[in-house]
Structure formats: structure tokens, C-alpha cells
Amino acid sequence: AARVLRIRGRNAMSNVELLMTRSGVAEYTGLTIETIKTYRRDGVMPEPDVIYDQKPLWRRSTIDAWRNK
């Protein structure tokens, strides 16, 4: 299963959105972790939504928007 963190919006549980690690993004998109690292280095991927414990994390909606460009 994709590694994710759940974050809660200030007002309601309906604002919960998943944050994905590089491995979660890899599993979700079918890309390899190395490709994700390269895309990030080369500016192909969107910037992470959050950096937590020195790890980049992306909202699923951010990845979906990037993939749908």
C-alpha cells in the first residue's frame, strides 16, 4: 500500500487529504522512485506540498493536477 499521512483541515473531516511520500507517489503513478527523484531534481515534478522530517510529501490532488497537464 502507498505510504501516506492523513492531515485534517481546520474545520471538518471532509477536508482530510492524503500526503504521499516518494514511494507513495511511485506506487500511485507507476513511476520508479529514481524517476521521481530525477523529475524533482530537474523541475519536472511539482514542489512538495510539505517537507516533514526532511522528506518531501505531496497531496494526491497536487499529483493528479500534475499528471493531468
Side-chain angles (χ1 to χ4, degrees), residues 5-53:
L5 295 174
R6 294 183 188 273
I7 57 172
R8 187 170 13 154
R10 287 182 235 151
N11 298 327
M13 282 299 288
S14 63
N15 290 337
V16 170
E17 188 162 8
L18 300 176
L19 289 172
M20 296 187 283
T21 62
R22 277 189 295 247
S23 62
V25 172
E27 184 175 324
Y28 184 65
T29 62
L31 299 171
T32 66
I33 292 173
E34 285 305 313
T35 297
I36 290 168
K37 288 178 182 178
T38 300
Y39 281 5
R40 184 161 180 238
R41 181 194 68 215
D42 294 347
V44 175
M45 278 192 72
E47 287 295 313
D49 293 298
V50 176
I51 302 290
Y52 178 77
D53 197 23

